Amino acid sequence: PSTNSTNMPTAPAGTVVTLSVKANAHYTFSGWTVLDGEANDISVTNDQFVMPASDVEEEATFAEIQYAIGTTLTHVTPANDNPKTAGISDNDILMAFDAETGYQLPTTIEVKMGNALLIADDDYEWTENGMLNIVHTGGITAPLYITITATLKQYDILFMDDDQKTELALVQVSHGEVPSYPNATPTKPSTDQYDYTFSGWSPALVAAVDDAIYVAVYTQTVRQYTVTFVDFDGKVLDKQ
């Protein structure tokens, strides 16, 4: 990960030797290790050391530059301790996310490395259960930016008549929304004995947290009839 050189191939004992090094892209220089002929450490200060009366061995140490992994999460939380940084040797990064209660993770997300938009299925894999695997060939060479926006869950609400066979309406509502019947007030035909008046739904309408079925409820009342008594000539004698 570097180009390494000194200002002279040999030096007399007691000479101050200056070392120089240039790290390759995406690496940073960490420090020097210089050993004398008996493998003793020689102190290096500001890239300089005093030449001993023996050959020396020099080794430069480098570290990968760690680029930040930033996330913009809307109604989404990390599912575990996701990595916060990555470097050029990281070409298989696994992260996990959960949607907040009442929300669902999206089918697509945005992943950028620096200003470059990464391509789904080529540079990363995203599943709707919240697993993100960044498999960018060549490793991470710029900060990562991940944007995930969850949406409210949608539920099917079925309204049925009291025979529990006749479908009156099917609507879709968002999580936390109280459903409402979209049509005119349900009615039930009277019989010879009873009239029916719509009185509500069973169970009572509540904020949606899942698919649900509501059944119409009717109040039953005995039908009232008027009996008219008439004479043979059609004269009304009485009404009851």
Side-chain angles (χ1 to χ4, degrees), residues 179-193:
S180 60
Y181 183 64
N183 302 326
T185 302
T187 60
K188 180 176 181 177
S190 298
T191 65
D192 289 342
Q193 186 175 5

Side-chain angles (χ1 to χ4, degrees), residues 30-239:
S30 298
W32 292 102
T33 299
V34 179
L35 302 178
D36 66 15
E38 297 181 355
N40 297 312
D41 283 326
I42 297 175
S43 175
V44 179
T45 303
N46 297 326
D47 295 329
Q48 294 183 326
F49 69 94
V50 177
M51 187 71 182
S54 68
D55 292 340
V56 297
E57 181 179 337
E58 309 157 3
E59 181 180 1
T61 304
F62 302 87
E64 289 184 14
I65 295 175
Q66 293 295 301
Y67 297 99
I69 301 176
T71 56
T72 300
L73 307 177
T74 304
H75 301 298
V76 177
T77 58
N80 53 30
D81 188 17
N82 290 330
K84 303 296 189 298
T85 62
I88 193 169
S89 66
D90 296 312
N91 54 16
D92 191 357
I93 302 169
L94 188 63
M95 306 177 74
F97 301 90
D98 284 330
E100 293 177 359
T101 301
Y103 288 82
Q104 60 188 8
L105 293 168
T107 57
T108 60
I109 65 174
E110 181 181 272
V111 181
K112 297 176 70 176
M113 185 164 65
N115 294 322
L117 189 65
L118 299 188
I119 307 302
D121 299 327
D122 289 342
D123 300 318
Y124 68 90
E125 297 176 355
W126 167 254
T127 61
E128 290 182 60
N129 65 356
M131 300 303 298
L132 171 61
N133 189 19
I134 301 174
V135 288
H136 187 261
T137 302
I140 305 306
T141 57
L144 287 172
Y145 304 98
I146 301 166
T147 302
I148 307 174
T149 302
T151 56
L152 278 170
K153 289 182 177 180
Q154 301 294 305
Y155 304 118
D156 289 327
I157 306 298
L158 179 61
F159 293 92
M160 301 192 71
D161 213 347
D162 68 341
D163 60 5
Q164 299 190 31
K165 296 179 180 179
T166 304
E167 296 185 7
L168 299 176
L170 177 65
V171 299
Q172 194 172 71
V173 299
S174 300
H175 180 89
E177 179 183 352
V178 178
S180 60
Y181 183 64
N183 302 326
T185 302
T187 60
K188 180 176 181 177
S190 298
T191 65
D192 289 342
Q193 186 175 5
Y194 298 105
D195 287 323
Y196 299 94
T197 303
F198 175 75
S199 59
W201 299 98
S202 177
L205 301 179
V206 295
V209 295
D210 205 341
D211 295 339
I213 297 175
Y214 292 98
V215 178
V217 176
Y218 299 92
T219 300
Q220 172 182 286
T221 56
V222 176
R223 294 190 68 178
Q224 300 295 311
Y225 295 92
T226 300
V227 179
T228 303
F229 297 89
V230 296
D231 205 350
F232 69 93
D233 60 358
K235 181 181 179 181
V236 175
L237 299 175
D238 192 12
K239 289 185 177 182

